[in-house]
């Protein structure tokens, strides 16, 4: 089969590989739509997870079941399915302890385009099919379903990690597709004021639609100073970090009220340490929490998030700014993600509607 791969750090290309083998609990999926992710860019061009040779890229997509193992109960050949980017081993002790995304080891649930071939192939393999697939509802398109692999669950996880409550003032750093879904998640959880850090007109427009109320630009001075000015020196209750690098934590801690929480879903592709400002962290006693998390995967979560789209509480169409038709366009779509033209939020490659 054909796949689009990371050949080594900094290099990508089409390769031929054997079709993956289906174990008793697994499924083999033929993709119906695919989407590249900023994480693919960190992986290939920043070498963020180290060297990988001839590894098929991609972890966002949906498809049709082409083969199932003999122990799979709820899915059969021909079913149209959604798949999360994170596919935990649901029998692991880590999953039992409430952290399926770390099954086996830290970040162990992140298998596609990390520990095994990803979804940018004619066929891809899904472990624990009953736990990691979900049936695609009729009123969700294949392009929309791709946003349920990673953008919606990750952005919403940011809102969960930051523990957004009714009436909170929330800062969202970075309003790419993940940050936009963090805005939407914070809004659905009842935030009263959502201050978004971003400057591109296309993302500002989308963020307004998702519930952002105020905008600042990290290019126009330190984030903390701008936030403190907007909030009469009080700062924000919660913050979600979905963009930037290790340097974003310092201003966000400064902009946070005592007792505030930071949910980070950003993939920190470079740098060695994160600086925590001692004084603004309450000289060690400010009750300012930082939690960074890989999004949880799994069927239960996929079904619940999909029901937000099915029932018109969430519209992911504004994310889909660039659409390609045909598997062969995967390369172009990934290069768009790498080059990030000003009008891009998210590219999607549709193989079948
Ligand atoms: P993106 O690059 O499209 O968006 C990030 C945005 O942050 C950009 O618009 C950029 O202009 C902005 N930005 C850059 N520097 C900034 C700064 N200093 N302050 C504020 N904003 C700044 O990326 P995305 O696709 O939205 O993904 C966001 C991050 O989430 C990426 O690092 C991605 O790898 C990561 N991610 C994490 C998970 C997870 O499970 N935790 C899953 C998917 C993606
Ligand atoms: Zn992704």
């Amino acid at each position: 089969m054909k796949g689009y791969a990371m050949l080594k750090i900094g290099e990508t290309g089409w390769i031929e590989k054997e079709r993956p083998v289906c174990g008793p609990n697994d499924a083999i999926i033929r993709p119906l739509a695919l989407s590249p992710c900023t994480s693919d860019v960190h992986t290939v061009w920043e070498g963020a997870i180290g060297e990988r040779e001839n590894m098929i890229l991609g972890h966002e997509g949906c498809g049709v079941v082409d083969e199932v193992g003999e122990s799979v109960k709820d899915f059969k050949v021909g079913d149209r399915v959604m798949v999360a980017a994170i596919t935990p081993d649901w029998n692991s002790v880590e999953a039992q302890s409430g952290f399926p995304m770390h099954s086996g080891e830290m970040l162990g649930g992140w298998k596609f385009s990390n520990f095994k071939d990803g979804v940018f192939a004619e066929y891809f393999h899904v472990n624990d099919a009953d736990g990691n697939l979900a049936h695609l509802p009729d009123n969700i398109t294949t392009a929309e379903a791709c946003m349920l692999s990673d953008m919606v669950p990750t952005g919403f996880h940011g809102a969960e990690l930051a523990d957004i409550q009714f009436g909170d003032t929330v800062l969202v750093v970075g309003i790419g597709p993940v940050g936009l879904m963090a805005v939407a998640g914070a809004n659905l959880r009842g935030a009263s004021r959502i201050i978004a850090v971003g400057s591109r007109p296309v993302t500002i427009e989308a963020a307004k639609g998702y519930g952002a109320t105020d905008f600042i630009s990290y290019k126009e001075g330190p984030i903390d100073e701008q936030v403190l000015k907007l909030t009469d020196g009080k700062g924000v209750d919660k913050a979600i970090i979905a963009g930037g690098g290790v340097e974003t934590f310092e201003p966000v801690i400064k902009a946070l009220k005592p007792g505030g929480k930071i949910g980070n879903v950003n993939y920190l592709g470079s740098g060695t340490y994160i600086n925590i400002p001692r004084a603004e962290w309450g000289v060690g006693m400010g009750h300012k929490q930082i939690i960074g998390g890989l999004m949880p995967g799994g069927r239960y979560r996929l079904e619940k998030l999909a029901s937000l789209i099915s029932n018109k509480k969430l519209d992911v169409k504004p994310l889909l700014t660039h659409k390609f038709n045909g598997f062969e366009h995967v390369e172009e779509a990934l290069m768009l993600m790498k080059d990030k033209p000003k009008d891009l939020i998210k590219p999607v490659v549709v193989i079948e509607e």
Side-chain angles (χ1 to χ4, degrees), residues 38-39 42 150 154 173 177-178 218 242 244 265-267 293-295 340:
T38 306
S39 301
H42 292 307
D150 196 0
T154 295
V173 180
V178 170
Y218 66 92
V265 286
N266 200 14
Y267 173 175
L294 178 65
M295 64 102 159
K340 296 248 159 77

Side-chain angles (χ1 to χ4, degrees), residues 238-262:
K238 309 286 169 57
I240 303 169
I241 302 182
V246 289
E247 75 287 351
T248 51
F249 288 82
E250 188 170 338
V252 173
I253 289 166
K254 290 181 180 172
L256 199 63
K257 288 182 192 171
K261 294 179 183 174
I262 299 173

Side-chain angles (χ1 to χ4, degrees), residues 35-40 59-60 85 149-151 154 178 346:
S35 184
C37 179
T38 306
S39 301
D40 295 309
H59 51 260
E60 300 181 17
S149 288
D150 196 0
M151 298 301 96
T154 295
V178 170
K346 194 80 181 173

Side-chain angles (χ1 to χ4, degrees), residues 5 34 87 89-90 114-115 143 145 156 211 214 216 226 242 253 271 274 304 319-320 333 349:
L34 297 165
T87 54
D89 298 310
W90 291 98
N114 184 7
F115 298 126
F156 278 46
D214 303 79
I216 58 179
Q226 297 182 65
I253 289 166
I274 291 166
K304 280 192 139 185
L319 301 180
L320 305 172
V349 177

